[in-house]
Amino acid sequence: KAGVTQTPRYLIKTRGQQVTLSCSPISGHRSVSWYQQTPGQGLQFLFEYFSETQRNKGNFPGRFSGRQFSNSRSEMNVSTLELGDSALYLCASSPAVMNYGYTFGSGTRLTVV
Amino acid sequence: GENVEQHPSTLSVQEGDSAVIKCTYSDSASNYFPWYKQELGKGPQLIIDIRSNVGEKKDQRIAVTLNKTAKHFSLHITETQPEDSAVYFCAASMGSGGSNYKLTFGKGTLLTVNP
């Protein structure tokens, strides 16, 4: 059974650019969440989608956005990149409406220069 | 919102010893408490979880205890092995009910098991 797949694994972008990250959940999982991981702030919740609807959003600026497609795949976008956006971005999927048993992908390492 | 405190931030043990990591949470509405292990270059891996209607759960060498009254939960690893070395995260959420569909994580514990 394939796990959560995130692409790309690594990205280097310049300040001011925008970036799109992709996440393919485990087959059959309908809930997808995104987290940002940094050494200083740890793991912080970005947003969560279920059946193409955003159900919850963390305390991040509007430059961070996401969406979910009908096949449950999800993308997140960060516009006008800042140096502080450098982080590991993790996607997690869960099979049910309730958020039990989230499985994480290996993440996308974004470096902003 | 929910706040999760995790201690200690680093823990070094000898192979075969036990390791205990403790977390406290602030929101009494939280009812789901997972623990994740993260190895270098990988995403967090769920190792055990507990729901608020249960006080203790075991899975081989790993156990989690929950004290709802005191709002704290702990991870216990017995007979530690070098491959247990990793960063461990506790988390809390409202797994059911409400609209708070997110995990709030502790800051993590770097566990080192010395051979």
Side-chain angles (χ1 to χ4, degrees), chain A residues 14-70:
Chain A
T14 304
R15 274 181 300 175
Q17 287 186 314
Q18 74 165 16
V19 66
T20 299
L21 313 181
S22 179
C23 172
S24 293
I26 291 173
S27 178
H29 285 196
R30 294 166 63 192
S31 171
V32 173
S33 296
W34 290 88
Y35 290 80
Q36 181 195 65
Q37 185 175 28
T38 59
Q41 299 299 317
L43 282 149
Q44 292 188 291
F45 173 77
L46 281 157
F47 25 68
E48 189 259 356
Y49 290 89
F50 181 83
S51 292
E52 302 179 67
T53 300
Q54 185 183 89
R55 294 195 298 186
N56 205 4
K57 190 177 190 302
N59 296 322
F60 279 82
R63 300 185 297 105
F64 291 81
S65 63
R67 59 178 176 169
Q68 185 181 33
F69 302 95
S70 58

Side-chain angles (χ1 to χ4, degrees), chain B residues 1-58:
Chain B
E2 175 66 278
N3 183 52
V4 176
E5 299 282 341
Q6 182 172 347
H7 298 281
S9 56
T10 61
L11 179 60
S12 182
V13 300
Q14 289 299 121
E15 182 177 359
D17 287 350
S18 295
V20 180
I21 303 171
K22 300 181 179 181
C23 290
T24 60
Y25 61 98
S26 62
D27 191 343
S28 57
S30 290
N31 54 26
Y32 175 62
F33 308 92
W35 285 88
Y36 285 86
K37 174 184 180 182
Q38 187 173 26
E39 298 173 315
L40 205 59
K42 298 183 179 180
Q45 175 193 2
L46 178 67
I47 56 172
I48 195 167
D49 57 10
I50 191 167
R51 303 185 191 186
S52 60
N53 58 347
V54 176
E56 183 176 4
K57 183 177 178 181
K58 289 184 180 179

